[in-house]
Amino acid sequence: MEFWKTTLQITLNEQTIQSDPIMIRRGIFQGDSLSPLWFCLAINPLYDVLNSCNYEFNIRINNQRENRISHLLYMDDIKIYASTQNQLTNLLNLTEQFSGDIGMSFGIEKCKTQAIRKGVFHQLPHITQNKEIIEAQERNDTYKYLGFCQSSHINHTKTKTQLKDQYVARLKLKLKTQLNGKNLMKAVNTFCVPLLTYSFGVIKWSKTDLENLNIATRKIFTQYRRHHPKSSIERFSLPRQNGGRGFQNLENLYQRQISDLKKYFLKRAERNEMFRTITRADLNHTPLNLSNTEEIHTPNTIDKIISGLKQKQLHGKFYKDLEENHVNKKMSLIWLKKSSLYAETEGFVFAIQDQVINTKNYRKYIIKNPNIKNDCCRLCKAKPETIQHIISSCSILAQTDYKARHDNAAKIIHKELATLMNLIEDTTPYYTYIPSPFFENNKYKLYWDRTILTDLNITANRPDIILIKKHTNEAILIDIAIPNTNNIIQTYDTKISKYLQLSIEMKSMLNLKKFQFYP
């Protein structure tokens, strides 16, 4: 360490003051990625020192000694075990001496001794070689080791309560942000959920505990208007590429982690005596219950969950529609992977897909509200007020909301085409873009909502977009439709037949080599 040094800098009013080199006599660089490795290399010999003295605590099974343990060491946290007070004193002295040799000292305020004889606590403080006192721990005192408060045992009930409170606090903190739906769920899974998963395998969580936490999560999402209370429970926890919102189901995580940890211990027990002793000694003392070698039930697969969803009348309709031959499943779900929708908007989209919006039809036939005498649409008064009717079948909305939706979708395509063909260099966002009726350069012509005059009297002569490729003598006709899912094929066929005559006439009039129509 004789070459280790650093400097301090202070900048004030654009003037920098730098200290002389400061030699580092002890410690390691804070924030350096190599520092943890250096620390481990320095402290690792302590393992051999403690093991070589043969002062150890006996692990017994059925009153028979199976193995011995002298310490648990993780970075700078160490727990020392001994069978007698003298052994503990000697082990502590060895640890103190070794720490002094490598320039490390005890954090006395964080150290405690604990003596238990035949289940009875004894007050036996330790005096270090520097005459400092390590206080004895009271019966009701706890110490924190690797994140968990413990004494002669871990208070699972108290620890679970603390973890639940911290989880809820973190969850509410994230829900107060303006993150979009995708990033919000990612934040919850990376900032909130690991607080609980860290305890899996150490703290005993019952199935009811985890179910209640899953329910509490959805309730809090609902309180912050990020989730509809009647939306599918299964979809909330399905991966986004499978049509879900992507929350990591806590019960499934618990089962998977317990299963993986148990497999790890049992596999190591085949070759390691200490692991073999641990597996035999764990008579349901931990959630792993290693003495029971039966396999743990693994959670349902995604395919099985989706299969169950399809059996549901309301929540299953979305997945049934995805299986239709004319539906591109991947493209229908891609918005969830690339979504920039507000989490609130995303929650309502899911509610619409799950058929749980509070329409008159829903209240009359699903909720069975006796006050709803008929389910006719409140606007057109002609057909049942269902999700499908509101989205695409109401005659009152046809010339207002439906037309605006149609035009907005067509504008996006028009803007992309105009940009791709170098007809515009406009960086206007799509939602404020106003298409020009006509664009032209040396290669392309682009028409927007333009009536095409032909020799024949053709009624359907005003498609949404026409692109003419002058350099190849080709044309593309595009007409937008936003049909309901059960009306896609019929709408497609109608568009084809509607513009067939116009396509033939335009190809003849303009002497085109190729004419394509995209409904």
Side-chain angles (χ1 to χ4, degrees):
M1 295 178 63
E2 58 181 307
F3 299 110
W4 287 16
K5 59 185 177 180
T6 187
T7 58
L8 298 178
Q9 288 186 349
I10 300 175
T11 302
L12 180 64
N13 297 329
E14 299 183 356
Q15 182 180 3
T16 300
I17 303 173
Q18 181 171 310
S19 69
D20 294 331
I22 301 171
M23 304 305 296
I24 298 176
R25 304 297 182 190
R26 58 186 291 180
I28 55 178
F29 293 117
Q30 295 295 314
D32 192 321
S33 59
L34 281 176
S35 293
L37 179 59
W38 288 343
F39 181 84
C40 290
L41 289 172
I43 205 170
N44 199 50
L46 178 60
Y47 169 84
D48 295 321
V49 171
L50 295 176
N51 281 340
S52 63
C53 65
N54 292 323
Y55 293 154
E56 297 171 318
F57 180 79
N58 295 322
I59 301 176
R60 295 180 178 273
I61 303 175
N62 298 326
N63 291 325
Q64 293 184 356
R65 191 181 74 180
E66 293 288 337
N67 217 315
R68 299 182 301 174
I69 184 172
S70 63
H71 66 282
L72 293 175
L73 177 62
Y74 181 79
M75 298 302 289
D76 60 343
D77 288 334
I78 186 170
K79 291 172 72 172
I80 297 175
Y81 297 88
S83 298
T84 66
Q85 176 66 21
N86 289 335
Q87 288 185 11
L88 180 62
T89 300
N90 289 332
L91 288 172
L92 286 171
N93 289 337
L94 283 171
T95 304
E96 184 180 2
Q97 182 180 349
F98 178 86
S99 299
D101 291 342
I102 64 173
M104 189 173 70
S105 59
F106 284 171
I108 294 295
E109 69 281 357
K110 297 181 180 179
C111 298
K112 294 285 184 180
T113 65
Q114 185 182 84
I116 304 175
R117 294 175 183 167
K118 296 182 179 181
V120 179
F121 278 76
H122 295 269
Q123 297 293 312
L124 298 174
H126 173 76
I127 300 176
T128 68
Q129 295 171 356
N130 294 329
K131 306 304 179 183
E132 295 178 301
I133 298 176
I134 298 179
E135 299 289 345
Q137 187 168 288
E138 299 284 348
R139 182 179 183 87
N140 295 324
D141 288 347
T142 60
Y143 61 91
K144 183 175 282 190
Y145 184 70
L146 301 186
F148 296 110
C149 291
Q150 49 198 280
S151 181
S152 59
H153 65 283
I154 296 177
N155 188 328
H156 292 267
T157 302
K158 184 177 180 180
T159 303
K160 285 191 290 186
T161 301
Q162 292 172 346
L163 289 172
K164 289 175 186 176
D165 292 342
Q166 293 174 28
Y167 171 75
V168 169
R170 287 192 180 191
L171 184 60
K172 290 181 177 179
L173 188 65
K174 288 301 169 190
L175 288 170
K176 290 177 182 177
T177 66
Q178 297 301 314
L179 291 170
N180 64 44
K182 177 185 174 183
N183 289 337
L184 173 63
M185 202 59 75
K186 186 175 181 179
V188 170
N189 287 336
T190 55
F191 182 69
C192 306
V193 173
L195 185 70
L196 300 173
T197 56
Y198 178 71
S199 70
F200 294 168
V202 179
I203 305 301
K204 291 184 177 180
W205 294 91
S206 68
K207 184 176 181 179
T208 303
D209 290 332
L210 298 170
E211 284 179 352
N212 289 338
L213 273 172
N214 280 327
I215 292 170
T217 300
R218 294 193 296 271
K219 282 185 176 180
I220 295 171
F221 264 77
T222 301
Q223 290 171 7
Y224 284 84
R225 295 179 61 83
R226 305 296 192 268
H227 176 68
H228 194 283
K230 299 296 183 181
S231 283
S232 169
I233 294 173
E234 293 85 354
R235 287 190 71 190
F236 189 76
S237 300
L238 278 174
R240 296 181 79 84
Q241 64 266 27
N242 296 106
R245 298 197 69 181
F247 175 73
Q248 293 183 331
N249 185 284
L250 299 175
E251 188 177 351
N252 292 347
L253 283 175
Y254 180 81
Q255 291 176 345
R256 193 177 299 117
Q257 188 153 319
I258 294 296
S259 177
D260 291 344
L261 284 171
K262 191 167 185 175
K263 289 177 182 177
Y264 169 78
F265 272 89
L266 293 176
K267 187 174 182 179
R268 290 295 302 272
E270 296 173 0
R271 303 185 302 273
N272 186 286
E273 182 63 31
M274 176 59 77
F275 277 83
R276 192 154 44 245
T277 301
I278 291 171
T279 56
R280 292 183 59 201
D282 183 14
L283 302 171
N284 203 26
H285 297 305
T286 73
L288 304 181
N289 191 17
L290 294 170
S291 60
N292 182 359
T293 57
E294 293 181 6
E295 287 193 13
I296 296 174
H297 170 70
T298 54
N300 290 331
T301 62
I302 293 172
D303 290 339
K304 193 171 182 179
I305 294 172
I306 293 176
S307 178
L309 263 175
K310 291 178 183 177
Q311 308 304 316
K312 298 186 177 182
Q313 181 180 359
L314 294 180
H315 295 168
K317 189 178 188 309
F318 173 70
Y319 283 95
K320 291 176 185 175
D321 290 339
L322 284 179
E323 297 300 324
E324 295 291 339
N325 293 330
H326 58 271
V327 175
N328 187 323
K329 185 176 180 180
K330 182 178 179 181
M331 296 304 296
S332 297
L333 299 176
I334 199 169
W335 69 277
L336 287 167
K337 293 287 289 180
K338 299 182 177 181
S339 175
S340 58
L341 292 178
Y342 286 118
E344 180 179 357
T345 306
E346 182 179 284
F348 278 109
V349 170
F350 270 76
I352 292 169
Q353 292 176 340
D354 292 337
Q355 310 287 307
V356 294
I357 295 297
N358 199 26
T359 63
K360 290 179 71 175
N361 182 271
Y362 178 81
R363 282 184 285 169
K364 180 176 175 62
Y365 294 106
I366 305 301
I367 299 179
K368 310 289 186 184
N369 188 337
N371 297 323
I372 305 299
K373 303 304 180 184
N374 68 77
D375 64 338
C376 290
C377 175
R378 280 166 279 188
L379 292 177
C380 68
K381 307 287 192 300
K383 294 182 179 180
E385 188 182 276
T386 62
I387 290 291
Q388 289 74 19
H389 174 75
I390 294 172
I391 288 175
S392 61
S393 303
C394 182
S395 58
I396 301 299
L397 298 174
Q399 296 304 316
T400 54
D401 296 73
Y402 296 167
K403 186 178 185 305
R405 180 181 63 186
H406 165 277
D407 291 347
N408 287 334
K411 285 177 185 178
I412 295 173
I413 298 174
H414 185 273
K415 183 178 185 297
E416 291 299 317
L417 282 173
T419 304
L420 187 64
M421 306 306 170
N422 295 319
L423 293 166
I424 60 171
E425 296 181 357
D426 192 2
T427 58
T428 304
Y430 70 89
Y431 46 85
T432 59
Y433 175 71
I434 300 176
S436 174
F438 177 70
F439 284 124
E440 184 178 12
N441 60 17
N442 59 340
K443 289 186 177 181
Y444 302 100
K445 290 181 181 179
L446 185 64
Y447 296 91
W448 164 260
D449 195 22
R450 186 82 170 264
T451 300
I452 306 299
L453 299 178
T454 58
D455 295 335
L456 296 178
N457 184 18
I458 300 175
T459 306
N461 63 351
R462 192 167 182 169
D464 293 317
I465 300 170
I466 296 177
L467 175 66
I468 297 177
K469 302 178 182 180
K470 296 191 291 184
H471 60 296
T472 59
N473 203 22
E474 298 176 2
I476 296 175
L477 187 150
I478 300 172
D479 197 68
I480 308 298
I482 306 178
N484 210 331
T485 50
N486 58 2
N487 203 30
I488 293 176
I489 295 297
Q490 181 181 347
T491 304
Y492 182 87
D493 292 339
T494 300
K495 290 286 185 183
I496 292 289
S497 60
K498 179 180 178 180
Y499 286 102
L500 178 61
Q501 192 174 4
L502 178 63
S503 303
I504 296 171
E505 190 67 16
M506 283 187 65
K507 186 176 182 180
S508 174
M509 285 174 52
L510 301 176
N511 195 25
L512 298 171
K513 291 182 179 179
K514 186 177 181 180
F515 191 95
Q516 295 173 286
F517 174 49
Y518 294 101

